[in-house]
Amino acid sequence: HQQKLERLVADLELPVFTASDSLGWVYQFWQAKKKDEVNASEVKIGARELPAVTQLFTEPYMVSFLLDNSLGAWWAARRLTEADLQNASSEEELRRKAAIPGVPLDYLRFVQQEDGTWITAAGTFDGWPEQLAELKTLDPCCGSGHFLVAAFLMLVPMRMELEGLSAREAVDAVLRENIHGLELDQRCVELAAFALALTAWKYPSAGGYRVLPELNVACSGLSISAKKEDWLALAGDNTNLRLALDELYKQFKDAPVLGSLINPEASLGKGSLFELKWEEVGPLLTKALAGEKDDEKAEMGVVARGVAKAADMLSSKYEWIITNVPYLARGNQSANLKNYCTKNYPRAQQDLANVFLERCLDITTQDGIMAAVTP
């Protein structure tokens, strides 16, 4: 069996094997049978069915178009001179002048004004930070990481150019500061993290295979299957940690069906966590569980840290959200998903896609931008 598998892999054409989006296509292929079965059964879509039905791979041209006309437009507005914009004879000439190695900007659009000068069709994104180190980007439905990888491959050469960083320094900086991904399906989170890491290892002159900074990729659909008293016992004698775990338990009890729709800030405003911030929960848990010999308790601790990380990311704000939202009409939703959408997003409740657009706006900064594939 092993030799047969190795032959199958060896016989793949090199472009297929090395393409950054191959993992996503493979995942969607293996989900296809389950998706057909779920659709044929006509059951209401809940936690078990959601990943198969709503996972939709984003075509590379869609990803490039959205990125080129957001981050690419920001870049072009700062790279092109007034003379460039006044004297250019075509969009292609402007794209060529704005491009740098690794960032061809093939899909960046310009429009010519009445006086003959050109402007980027999507605007110049003046509300974004001037320093790319401060640009926080999120894909809240990141799937196998297609948007994350594409954004990474634009941001690294841009930061090398702007900040004089080496390839290795830029790779680490982008992973640490810019790229954030959330996903309901745990298998997809694993694929996204691997795709991002593999891209970082393959990046020219970045050091090859090595330990990378901790990736800001988390599962927003982690379920807490433990009994509440066992879960709270993780806190030991730490009252603040116990309060935080109690809040996480309430927030994430429906995580497998809600995922990135969970809004930790909704309860934070009520002071239920007192002075404890989400980002403090993980280190407190690590300390509380240091040397823990009980396997079950240690496993719960891993889940707790993952949930705390997802909660931290879900309660943050982002300048740039790039995503392909899940589509699911109200009539096909399970009761708890339908009720949640009605209660929290009454204007958008007819389709999960619209609910996600509202949720994305919740976590976008005042001058932030959302670039999304929608129905």
Side-chain angles (χ1 to χ4, degrees):
H1 287 308
Q2 184 177 335
Q3 288 175 348
K4 188 177 179 183
L5 282 170
E6 285 175 357
R7 280 198 301 274
L8 283 170
V9 173
D11 289 344
L12 286 174
E13 293 178 33
L14 190 64
V16 173
F17 186 70
T18 56
S20 63
D21 56 351
S22 290
L23 276 174
W25 283 115
V26 170
Y27 180 76
Q28 184 161 302
F29 172 81
W30 289 113
Q31 288 279 50
K33 184 181 177 185
K34 176 78 184 290
K35 183 175 183 176
D36 291 342
E37 288 171 355
V38 171
N39 287 334
S41 71
E42 297 184 1
V43 298
K44 299 299 180 189
I45 309 301
R48 283 196 310 176
E49 299 83 17
L50 263 174
V53 173
T54 59
Q55 287 295 345
L56 188 65
F57 192 73
T58 313
E59 296 274 7
Y61 78 89
M62 294 182 183
V63 175
S64 293
F65 183 87
L66 288 176
L67 267 63
D68 282 3
N69 289 288
S70 45
L71 180 60
W74 177 91
W75 175 258
R78 281 143 191 83
R79 189 165 173 83
L80 298 172
T81 65
E82 280 189 38
D84 291 331
L85 295 168
Q86 284 170 358
N87 303 325
S89 58
S90 67
E91 284 186 87
E92 186 52 46
E93 181 185 333
L94 289 166
R95 278 194 285 267
R96 203 166 53 246
K97 285 186 174 181
I100 55 173
V103 187
L105 299 175
D106 292 333
Y107 292 89
L108 177 59
R109 299 307 313 273
F110 292 85
V111 288
Q112 197 166 20
Q113 302 177 100
E114 287 182 10
D115 65 358
T117 60
W118 297 83
I119 57 169
T120 46
T124 53
F125 302 85
D126 295 330
W128 274 10
E130 279 302 311
Q131 304 300 320
L132 280 180
E134 298 168 19
L135 183 74
K136 283 181 69 177
T137 178
L138 170 73
D139 183 347
C141 325
C142 71
S144 56
H146 199 174
F147 276 108
L148 305 183
V149 167
F152 171 89
L153 288 172
M154 286 180 77
L155 284 160
V156 170
M158 285 180 178
R159 292 193 63 174
M160 288 170 69
E161 177 92 2
L162 286 177
E163 300 167 42
L165 301 176
S166 68
R168 182 174 181 142
E169 289 168 339
V171 162
D172 287 0
V174 169
L175 290 177
R176 197 170 48 241
E177 296 157 0
N178 299 125
I179 304 289
H180 299 78
L182 287 163
E183 169 58 49
L184 174 114
D185 181 354
Q186 193 166 354
R187 177 57 55 84
C188 266
V189 175
E190 292 162 359
L191 285 175
F194 179 73
L196 200 52
L198 188 60
T199 306
W201 289 324
K202 289 195 306 180
Y203 199 87
S205 305
Y209 177 73
R210 60 189 174 87
V211 175
L212 298 168
E214 184 179 349
L215 302 180
N216 296 306
V217 180
C219 182
S220 55
L222 278 178
S223 62
I224 300 172
S225 54
K227 291 178 182 174
K228 189 171 184 179
E229 57 266 30
D230 295 337
W231 175 259
L232 295 179
L234 291 173
D237 298 328
N238 190 319
T239 306
N240 272 351
L241 183 53
R242 187 179 181 87
L243 288 167
L245 288 174
D246 185 42
E247 193 58 49
L248 288 172
Y249 198 89
K250 282 188 285 187
Q251 288 282 348
F252 282 80
K253 68 180 189 300
D254 292 323
V257 74
L258 297 179
S260 297
L261 292 179
I262 293 169
N263 184 3
E265 279 211 314
S267 57
L268 277 176
K270 298 168 190 169
S272 53
L273 282 184
F274 295 92
E275 296 304 309
L276 195 66
K277 295 188 176 76
W278 287 118
E279 61 266 27
E280 296 170 15
V281 177
L284 276 176
L285 270 168
T286 303
K287 189 176 177 184
L289 295 165
E292 182 58 57
K293 298 290 192 293
D294 183 336
D295 286 348
E296 193 174 326
K297 199 170 180 182
E299 192 175 320
M300 264 197 292
V302 172
V303 173
R305 280 192 288 273
V307 167
K309 182 167 185 173
D312 181 30
M313 289 169 63
L314 286 166
S315 56
S316 297
K317 296 278 186 185
Y318 302 86
E319 284 80 23
W320 185 31
I321 291 184
I322 38 170
T323 194
N324 186 348
V325 293
Y327 312 152
L328 190 65
R330 181 174 170 77
N332 295 325
Q333 296 170 13
S334 63
N336 55 348
L337 179 56
K338 193 184 294 184
N339 292 340
Y340 186 89
C341 293
T342 300
K343 180 183 175 185
N344 296 283
Y345 301 97
R347 291 184 306 167
Q349 62 180 309
Q350 292 305 322
D351 197 298
L352 189 58
N354 298 331
V355 169
F356 256 92
L357 290 180
E358 272 208 45
R359 175 65 182 128
C360 288
L361 289 173
D362 288 343
I363 51 178
T364 306
T365 60
Q366 188 172 339
D367 293 311
I369 297 295
M370 174 169 59
V373 183
T374 72

